[in-house]
Amino acid sequence: MLAESKQVILTGDKTQCADIRIIPTGIIEVDIPSEERHYEADFAQLCFYTRTQKTELVCRSEQKNDVVQWKLEIANDDARELLSMIERAEDEFEQLMRSL
């Protein structure tokens, strides 16, 4: 069970990169080195909102009335790849739990 990593370009006001790790135990980690920011969330907290040219990856609090904890604007292709990575991680974790 290995974490997968991907670097994406954020599509906000200023061009920045984010390093994203998908951990099969159900965790996503996001590092934005230029701002020295680190975010972490469970897969269940994530929502993808796709618009014409970009997708907003939103992390909502599970305990605070669905309050947005953080969000990233990324390219649609990057969002599709992240979603695919999350699905693979969930499948891999499920297979591991069944084999135990």
Side-chain angles (χ1 to χ4, degrees), residues 28-77:
I28 185 172
E29 293 180 347
V30 179
D31 287 306
I32 304 173
S34 63
E35 293 184 358
E36 296 180 2
R37 292 194 186 269
H38 176 82
Y39 302 116
E40 192 172 300
D42 291 330
F43 293 164
Q45 294 176 267
L46 301 177
C47 298
F48 288 84
Y49 299 103
T50 301
R51 297 192 180 123
T52 307
Q53 297 293 322
K54 61 186 175 185
T55 298
E56 207 171 61
L57 172 59
V58 178
C59 172
R60 296 192 180 274
S61 172
E62 291 180 317
Q63 293 142 8
K64 294 183 181 176
N65 298 325
D66 232 13
V67 172
V68 173
Q69 290 186 315
W70 53 265
K71 62 183 174 179
L72 305 174
E73 288 184 358
I74 58 178
N76 293 340
D77 290 342

Side-chain angles (χ1 to χ4, degrees), residues 1 25 90-100:
M1 199 164 65
T25 55
E90 289 174 328
D91 289 344
E92 185 178 324
F93 188 71
E94 187 178 309
Q95 288 175 5
L96 178 66
M97 291 293 105
R98 277 191 296 217
S99 67
L100 293 178

Side-chain angles (χ1 to χ4, degrees), residues 80-91:
R80 279 190 289 276
E81 189 171 343
L82 282 176
L83 189 54
S84 177
M85 291 167 66
I86 289 170
E87 288 171 350
R88 278 195 306 271
E90 289 174 328
D91 289 344

